[in-house]
Amino acid sequence: GGVCPHQAWSETMVLQPAIEGMLGLEVDAVNNKIKFSLRLPADWSSIKVDRIKIGNSFVDFEMKRTNGKYFYNFTSTSSKQIRIEFYPSFPLGTEFQKVEINGKPTEIQKQNHKSINLSFALNRTSKIEIDYKNGISVLPVVSHPMPNDKSEGFRILSDKLEGDAYSVEVQGISGTTQTLEVYRNGKIGKVEVKFEKSDKKYINKTVKVKIER
């Protein structure tokens, strides 16, 4: 008894990581403002989000990436301006060559070593175009577990770029071998990571990748 087939309170946890984690979406209807803090996997070439509700209106958002360019499109049903605070993240080492909002060049304000800050008023439609080159990023570990499978325990802890040296701190179960995927300039490289046998269950290891310019 007491069990229902649709547990909405637990099903929402499937959506929350995407909404708050990858999109970094914060809607402020009182001040007519939407904040996006994008944290998308580096190899994603597109994403589309429809009907973001703000008051009685909706905003659609779309991202497309081609070689050397990012395109971000915003569409609103509101007759009023909506303030957009846009903080997209990029692979480490990305060099920005041009940033335009609705065809007009804009100054880049860096938030940190991975993100930039852009702020603008959305009137029905707005388009951001970013020209870039270079950049390197480790890709998230994606598991496809089957019933009764055990966790492989492979985790990405951190990454950093120092000059031409890119390093990734990982953790895995001793005695196992895992594959790390690294994205750079539209290509995915694979690195085999061996965790030596040890009395400890988990081992931390630093993987280093030399960047060829």
PDB file of all heavy atoms in Angstrom, residues 65-89:
ATOM      1  N   ARG A  65      26.297  24.774 -33.407  1.00  0.00           N
ATOM      2  CA  ARG A  65      27.742  24.968 -33.531  1.00  0.00           C
ATOM      3  C   ARG A  65      28.230  24.346 -34.829  1.00  0.00           C
ATOM      4  O   ARG A  65      27.901  23.210 -35.146  1.00  0.00           O
ATOM      5  CB  ARG A  65      28.484  24.329 -32.347  1.00  0.00           C
ATOM      6  CG  ARG A  65      29.999  24.409 -32.468  1.00  0.00           C
ATOM      7  CD  ARG A  65      30.676  23.791 -31.258  1.00  0.00           C
ATOM      8  NE  ARG A  65      30.245  22.414 -31.016  1.00  0.00           N
ATOM      9  CZ  ARG A  65      30.692  21.353 -31.701  1.00  0.00           C
ATOM     10  NH1 ARG A  65      31.574  21.502 -32.672  1.00  0.00           N
ATOM     11  NH2 ARG A  65      30.239  20.143 -31.411  1.00  0.00           N
ATOM     12  N   THR A  66      28.992  25.113 -35.580  1.00  0.00           N
ATOM     13  CA  THR A  66      29.674  24.609 -36.763  1.00  0.00           C
ATOM     14  C   THR A  66      31.164  24.838 -36.554  1.00  0.00           C
ATOM     15  O   THR A  66      31.582  25.354 -35.510  1.00  0.00           O
ATOM     16  CB  THR A  66      29.202  25.341 -38.034  1.00  0.00           C
ATOM     17  OG1 THR A  66      29.519  26.740 -37.911  1.00  0.00           O
ATOM     18  CG2 THR A  66      27.702  25.199 -38.224  1.00  0.00           C
ATOM     19  N   ASN A  67      31.978  24.484 -37.517  1.00  0.00           N
ATOM     20  CA  ASN A  67      33.416  24.676 -37.385  1.00  0.00           C
ATOM     21  C   ASN A  67      33.743  26.161 -37.228  1.00  0.00           C
ATOM     22  O   ASN A  67      33.563  26.948 -38.139  1.00  0.00           O
ATOM     23  CB  ASN A  67      34.146  24.114 -38.608  1.00  0.00           C
ATOM     24  CG  ASN A  67      34.107  22.595 -38.632  1.00  0.00           C
ATOM     25  OD1 ASN A  67      33.992  21.958 -37.587  1.00  0.00           O
ATOM     26  ND2 ASN A  67      34.191  22.015 -39.802  1.00  0.00           N
ATOM     27  N   GLY A  68      34.204  26.514 -36.049  1.00  0.00           N
ATOM     28  CA  GLY A  68      34.633  27.889 -35.808  1.00  0.00           C
ATOM     29  C   GLY A  68      33.538  28.871 -35.463  1.00  0.00           C
ATOM     30  O   GLY A  68      33.815  30.061 -35.294  1.00  0.00           O
ATOM     31  N   LYS A  69      32.282  28.432 -35.317  1.00  0.00           N
ATOM     32  CA  LYS A  69      31.197  29.358 -35.020  1.00  0.00           C
ATOM     33  C   LYS A  69      30.169  28.746 -34.068  1.00  0.00           C
ATOM     34  O   LYS A  69      29.832  27.563 -34.181  1.00  0.00           O
ATOM     35  CB  LYS A  69      30.469  29.788 -36.295  1.00  0.00           C
ATOM     36  CG  LYS A  69      31.256  30.741 -37.206  1.00  0.00           C
ATOM     37  CD  LYS A  69      30.420  31.118 -38.407  1.00  0.00           C
ATOM     38  CE  LYS A  69      31.165  32.050 -39.344  1.00  0.00           C
ATOM     39  NZ  LYS A  69      31.357  33.402 -38.743  1.00  0.00           N
ATOM     40  N   TYR A  70      29.692  29.585 -33.152  1.00  0.00           N
ATOM     41  CA  TYR A  70      28.529  29.262 -32.320  1.00  0.00           C
ATOM     42  C   TYR A  70      27.409  30.225 -32.701  1.00  0.00           C
ATOM     43  O   TYR A  70      27.637  31.426 -32.865  1.00  0.00           O
ATOM     44  CB  TYR A  70      28.836  29.446 -30.829  1.00  0.00           C
ATOM     45  CG  TYR A  70      29.623  28.345 -30.186  1.00  0.00           C
ATOM     46  CD1 TYR A  70      31.003  28.432 -30.069  1.00  0.00           C
ATOM     47  CD2 TYR A  70      28.989  27.222 -29.655  1.00  0.00           C
ATOM     48  CE1 TYR A  70      31.743  27.432 -29.451  1.00  0.00           C
ATOM     49  CE2 TYR A  70      29.710  26.214 -29.035  1.00  0.00           C
ATOM     50  CZ  TYR A  70      31.084  26.331 -28.935  1.00  0.00           C
ATOM     51  OH  TYR A  70      31.809  25.336 -28.329  1.00  0.00           O
ATOM     52  N   PHE A  71      26.195  29.693 -32.822  1.00  0.00           N
ATOM     53  CA  PHE A  71      25.020  30.515 -33.069  1.00  0.00           C
ATOM     54  C   PHE A  71      24.010  30.268 -31.947  1.00  0.00           C
ATOM     55  O   PHE A  71      23.678  29.119 -31.653  1.00  0.00           O
ATOM     56  CB  PHE A  71      24.374  30.174 -34.414  1.00  0.00           C
ATOM     57  CG  PHE A  71      25.263  30.402 -35.604  1.00  0.00           C
ATOM     58  CD1 PHE A  71      25.982  29.353 -36.146  1.00  0.00           C
ATOM     59  CD2 PHE A  71      25.372  31.667 -36.177  1.00  0.00           C
ATOM     60  CE1 PHE A  71      26.806  29.546 -37.246  1.00  0.00           C
ATOM     61  CE2 PHE A  71      26.186  31.873 -37.277  1.00  0.00           C
ATOM     62  CZ  PHE A  71      26.917  30.815 -37.809  1.00  0.00           C
ATOM     63  N   TYR A  72      23.529  31.351 -31.328  1.00  0.00           N
ATOM     64  CA  TYR A  72      22.514  31.256 -30.283  1.00  0.00           C
ATOM     65  C   TYR A  72      21.319  32.109 -30.702  1.00  0.00           C
ATOM     66  O   TYR A  72      21.468  33.303 -30.969  1.00  0.00           O
ATOM     67  CB  TYR A  72      23.052  31.760 -28.944  1.00  0.00           C
ATOM     68  CG  TYR A  72      24.299  31.055 -28.466  1.00  0.00           C
ATOM     69  CD1 TYR A  72      25.566  31.589 -28.717  1.00  0.00           C
ATOM     70  CD2 TYR A  72      24.231  29.866 -27.750  1.00  0.00           C
ATOM     71  CE1 TYR A  72      26.712  30.961 -28.276  1.00  0.00           C
ATOM     72  CE2 TYR A  72      25.378  29.226 -27.302  1.00  0.00           C
ATOM     73  CZ  TYR A  72      26.617  29.782 -27.571  1.00  0.00           C
ATOM     74  OH  TYR A  72      27.761  29.159 -27.133  1.00  0.00           O
ATOM     75  N   ASN A  73      20.141  31.503 -30.745  1.00  0.00           N
ATOM     76  CA  ASN A  73      18.929  32.207 -31.152  1.00  0.00           C
ATOM     77  C   ASN A  73      17.915  32.228 -30.011  1.00  0.00           C
ATOM     78  O   ASN A  73      17.668  31.191 -29.367  1.00  0.00           O
ATOM     79  CB  ASN A  73      18.301  31.540 -32.380  1.00  0.00           C
ATOM     80  CG  ASN A  73      19.185  31.644 -33.603  1.00  0.00           C
ATOM     81  OD1 ASN A  73      19.577  32.736 -33.997  1.00  0.00           O
ATOM     82  ND2 ASN A  73      19.517  30.520 -34.214  1.00  0.00           N
ATOM     83  N   PHE A  74      17.329  33.393 -29.780  1.00  0.00           N
ATOM     84  CA  PHE A  74      16.324  33.580 -28.739  1.00  0.00           C
ATOM     85  C   PHE A  74      15.056  34.140 -29.387  1.00  0.00           C
ATOM     86  O   PHE A  74      15.129  35.079 -30.180  1.00  0.00           O
ATOM     87  CB  PHE A  74      16.808  34.554 -27.671  1.00  0.00           C
ATOM     88  CG  PHE A  74      18.051  34.131 -26.956  1.00  0.00           C
ATOM     89  CD1 PHE A  74      19.303  34.351 -27.523  1.00  0.00           C
ATOM     90  CD2 PHE A  74      17.998  33.520 -25.717  1.00  0.00           C
ATOM     91  CE1 PHE A  74      20.469  33.977 -26.874  1.00  0.00           C
ATOM     92  CE2 PHE A  74      19.152  33.132 -25.059  1.00  0.00           C
ATOM     93  CZ  PHE A  74      20.397  33.368 -25.636  1.00  0.00           C
ATOM     94  N   THR A  75      13.891  33.601 -29.037  1.00  0.00           N
ATOM     95  CA  THR A  75      12.611  34.080 -29.554  1.00  0.00           C
ATOM     96  C   THR A  75      11.632  34.229 -28.395  1.00  0.00           C
ATOM     97  O   THR A  75      11.513  33.327 -27.559  1.00  0.00           O
ATOM     98  CB  THR A  75      12.025  33.099 -30.587  1.00  0.00           C
ATOM     99  OG1 THR A  75      12.979  32.873 -31.623  1.00  0.00           O
ATOM    100  CG2 THR A  75      10.768  33.660 -31.213  1.00  0.00           C
ATOM    101  N   SER A  76      10.948  35.368 -28.358  1.00  0.00           N
ATOM    102  CA  SER A  76      10.019  35.658 -27.268  1.00  0.00           C
ATOM    103  C   SER A  76       8.623  35.922 -27.805  1.00  0.00           C
ATOM    104  O   SER A  76       8.452  36.499 -28.886  1.00  0.00           O
ATOM    105  CB  SER A  76      10.513  36.878 -26.481  1.00  0.00           C
ATOM    106  OG  SER A  76       9.511  37.357 -25.612  1.00  0.00           O
ATOM    107  N   THR A  77       7.599  35.538 -27.032  1.00  0.00           N
ATOM    108  CA  THR A  77       6.210  35.859 -27.379  1.00  0.00           C
ATOM    109  C   THR A  77       5.747  37.127 -26.683  1.00  0.00           C
ATOM    110  O   THR A  77       4.614  37.570 -26.894  1.00  0.00           O
ATOM    111  CB  THR A  77       5.271  34.706 -26.988  1.00  0.00           C
ATOM    112  OG1 THR A  77       5.305  34.530 -25.563  1.00  0.00           O
ATOM    113  CG2 THR A  77       5.672  33.410 -27.678  1.00  0.00           C
ATOM    114  N   SER A  78       6.606  37.728 -25.858  1.00  0.00           N
ATOM    115  CA  SER A  78       6.215  38.886 -25.065  1.00  0.00           C
ATOM    116  C   SER A  78       6.306  40.173 -25.882  1.00  0.00           C
ATOM    117  O   SER A  78       7.188  40.340 -26.726  1.00  0.00           O
ATOM    118  CB  SER A  78       7.121  39.013 -23.834  1.00  0.00           C
ATOM    119  OG  SER A  78       6.807  40.174 -23.094  1.00  0.00           O
ATOM    120  N   SER A  79       5.391  41.093 -25.606  1.00  0.00           N
ATOM    121  CA  SER A  79       5.436  42.412 -26.236  1.00  0.00           C
ATOM    122  C   SER A  79       6.389  43.344 -25.489  1.00  0.00           C
ATOM    123  O   SER A  79       6.706  44.429 -25.962  1.00  0.00           O
ATOM    124  CB  SER A  79       4.033  43.035 -26.260  1.00  0.00           C
ATOM    125  OG  SER A  79       3.519  43.155 -24.942  1.00  0.00           O
ATOM    126  N   LYS A  80       6.847  42.902 -24.318  1.00  0.00           N
ATOM    127  CA  LYS A  80       7.783  43.688 -23.516  1.00  0.00           C
ATOM    128  C   LYS A  80       9.206  43.139 -23.668  1.00  0.00           C
ATOM    129  O   LYS A  80       9.403  41.978 -23.987  1.00  0.00           O
ATOM    130  CB  LYS A  80       7.379  43.651 -22.036  1.00  0.00           C
ATOM    131  CG  LYS A  80       6.012  44.232 -21.745  1.00  0.00           C
ATOM    132  CD  LYS A  80       5.705  44.131 -20.262  1.00  0.00           C
ATOM    133  CE  LYS A  80       4.333  44.696 -19.934  1.00  0.00           C
ATOM    134  NZ  LYS A  80       4.027  44.579 -18.480  1.00  0.00           N
ATOM    135  N   GLN A  81      10.175  43.993 -23.406  1.00  0.00           N
ATOM    136  CA  GLN A  81      11.569  43.546 -23.403  1.00  0.00           C
ATOM    137  C   GLN A  81      11.802  42.551 -22.271  1.00  0.00           C
ATOM    138  O   GLN A  81      11.264  42.704 -21.174  1.00  0.00           O
ATOM    139  CB  GLN A  81      12.512  44.732 -23.209  1.00  0.00           C
ATOM    140  CG  GLN A  81      12.752  45.584 -24.425  1.00  0.00           C
ATOM    141  CD  GLN A  81      13.866  46.599 -24.183  1.00  0.00           C
ATOM    142  OE1 GLN A  81      14.358  46.749 -23.065  1.00  0.00           O
ATOM    143  NE2 GLN A  81      14.255  47.300 -25.237  1.00  0.00           N
ATOM    144  N   ILE A  82      12.603  41.555 -22.565  1.00  0.00           N
ATOM    145  CA  ILE A  82      13.042  40.609 -21.539  1.00  0.00           C
ATOM    146  C   ILE A  82      14.568  40.697 -21.462  1.00  0.00           C
ATOM    147  O   ILE A  82      15.261  40.586 -22.475  1.00  0.00           O
ATOM    148  CB  ILE A  82      12.613  39.172 -21.879  1.00  0.00           C
ATOM    149  CG1 ILE A  82      11.087  39.066 -21.898  1.00  0.00           C
ATOM    150  CG2 ILE A  82      13.207  38.182 -20.875  1.00  0.00           C
ATOM    151  CD1 ILE A  82      10.571  37.705 -22.328  1.00  0.00           C
ATOM    152  N   ARG A  83      15.072  40.940 -20.254  1.00  0.00           N
ATOM    153  CA  ARG A  83      16.511  41.019 -20.072  1.00  0.00           C
ATOM    154  C   ARG A  83      17.101  39.603 -20.039  1.00  0.00           C
ATOM    155  O   ARG A  83      16.647  38.754 -19.276  1.00  0.00           O
ATOM    156  CB  ARG A  83      16.829  41.751 -18.771  1.00  0.00           C
ATOM    157  CG  ARG A  83      18.282  41.757 -18.337  1.00  0.00           C
ATOM    158  CD  ARG A  83      19.223  42.369 -19.337  1.00  0.00           C
ATOM    159  NE  ARG A  83      18.834  43.699 -19.769  1.00  0.00           N
ATOM    160  CZ  ARG A  83      19.542  44.432 -20.615  1.00  0.00           C
ATOM    161  NH1 ARG A  83      20.662  43.938 -21.144  1.00  0.00           N
ATOM    162  NH2 ARG A  83      19.127  45.629 -20.977  1.00  0.00           N
ATOM    163  N   ILE A  84      18.084  39.360 -20.886  1.00  0.00           N
ATOM    164  CA  ILE A  84      18.755  38.062 -20.942  1.00  0.00           C
ATOM    165  C   ILE A  84      20.167  38.206 -20.403  1.00  0.00           C
ATOM    166  O   ILE A  84      20.972  39.004 -20.912  1.00  0.00           O
ATOM    167  CB  ILE A  84      18.811  37.507 -22.387  1.00  0.00           C
ATOM    168  CG1 ILE A  84      17.400  37.364 -22.972  1.00  0.00           C
ATOM    169  CG2 ILE A  84      19.545  36.169 -22.403  1.00  0.00           C
ATOM    170  CD1 ILE A  84      16.525  36.344 -22.290  1.00  0.00           C
ATOM    171  N   GLU A  85      20.477  37.466 -19.356  1.00  0.00           N
ATOM    172  CA  GLU A  85      21.841  37.368 -18.835  1.00  0.00           C
ATOM    173  C   GLU A  85      22.387  36.024 -19.323  1.00  0.00           C
ATOM    174  O   GLU A  85      21.885  34.972 -18.928  1.00  0.00           O
ATOM    175  CB  GLU A  85      21.842  37.429 -17.314  1.00  0.00           C
ATOM    176  CG  GLU A  85      21.219  38.692 -16.728  1.00  0.00           C
ATOM    177  CD  GLU A  85      22.076  39.924 -16.971  1.00  0.00           C
ATOM    178  OE1 GLU A  85      23.284  39.762 -17.257  1.00  0.00           O
ATOM    179  OE2 GLU A  85      21.529  41.049 -16.899  1.00  0.00           O
ATOM    180  N   PHE A  86      23.390  36.075 -20.194  1.00  0.00           N
ATOM    181  CA  PHE A  86      23.846  34.882 -20.897  1.00  0.00           C
ATOM    182  C   PHE A  86      25.307  34.604 -20.576  1.00  0.00           C
ATOM    183  O   PHE A  86      26.191  35.407 -20.894  1.00  0.00           O
ATOM    184  CB  PHE A  86      23.662  35.087 -22.406  1.00  0.00           C
ATOM    185  CG  PHE A  86      23.818  33.841 -23.227  1.00  0.00           C
ATOM    186  CD1 PHE A  86      23.087  32.697 -22.939  1.00  0.00           C
ATOM    187  CD2 PHE A  86      24.693  33.810 -24.300  1.00  0.00           C
ATOM    188  CE1 PHE A  86      23.224  31.547 -23.693  1.00  0.00           C
ATOM    189  CE2 PHE A  86      24.842  32.675 -25.065  1.00  0.00           C
ATOM    190  CZ  PHE A  86      24.112  31.533 -24.766  1.00  0.00           C
ATOM    191  N   TYR A  87      25.552  33.463 -19.897  1.00  0.00           N
ATOM    192  CA  TYR A  87      26.896  33.108 -19.459  1.00  0.00           C
ATOM    193  C   TYR A  87      27.280  31.721 -20.000  1.00  0.00           C
ATOM    194  O   TYR A  87      27.286  30.728 -19.261  1.00  0.00           O
ATOM    195  CB  TYR A  87      26.985  33.083 -17.928  1.00  0.00           C
ATOM    196  CG  TYR A  87      26.532  34.342 -17.236  1.00  0.00           C
ATOM    197  CD1 TYR A  87      25.919  34.291 -15.984  1.00  0.00           C
ATOM    198  CD2 TYR A  87      26.710  35.597 -17.819  1.00  0.00           C
ATOM    199  CE1 TYR A  87      25.503  35.448 -15.328  1.00  0.00           C
ATOM    200  CE2 TYR A  87      26.295  36.756 -17.182  1.00  0.00           C
ATOM    201  CZ  TYR A  87      25.696  36.684 -15.941  1.00  0.00           C
ATOM    202  OH  TYR A  87      25.279  37.818 -15.299  1.00  0.00           O
ATOM    203  N   PRO A  88      27.578  31.618 -21.282  1.00  0.00           N
ATOM    204  CA  PRO A  88      27.949  30.309 -21.832  1.00  0.00           C
ATOM    205  C   PRO A  88      29.381  29.924 -21.458  1.00  0.00           C
ATOM    206  O   PRO A  88      30.254  30.793 -21.321  1.00  0.00           O
ATOM    207  CB  PRO A  88      27.822  30.518 -23.342  1.00  0.00           C
ATOM    208  CG  PRO A  88      28.115  31.981 -23.535  1.00  0.00           C
ATOM    209  CD  PRO A  88      27.571  32.671 -22.312  1.00  0.00           C
ATOM    210  N   SER A  89      29.611  28.633 -21.297  1.00  0.00           N
ATOM    211  CA  SER A  89      30.965  28.139 -21.034  1.00  0.00           C
ATOM    212  C   SER A  89      31.523  27.494 -22.295  1.00  0.00           C
ATOM    213  O   SER A  89      30.781  27.049 -23.170  1.00  0.00           O
ATOM    214  CB  SER A  89      30.957  27.130 -19.887  1.00  0.00           C
ATOM    215  OG  SER A  89      30.270  25.956 -20.261  1.00  0.00           O
TER     216      SER A  89
END
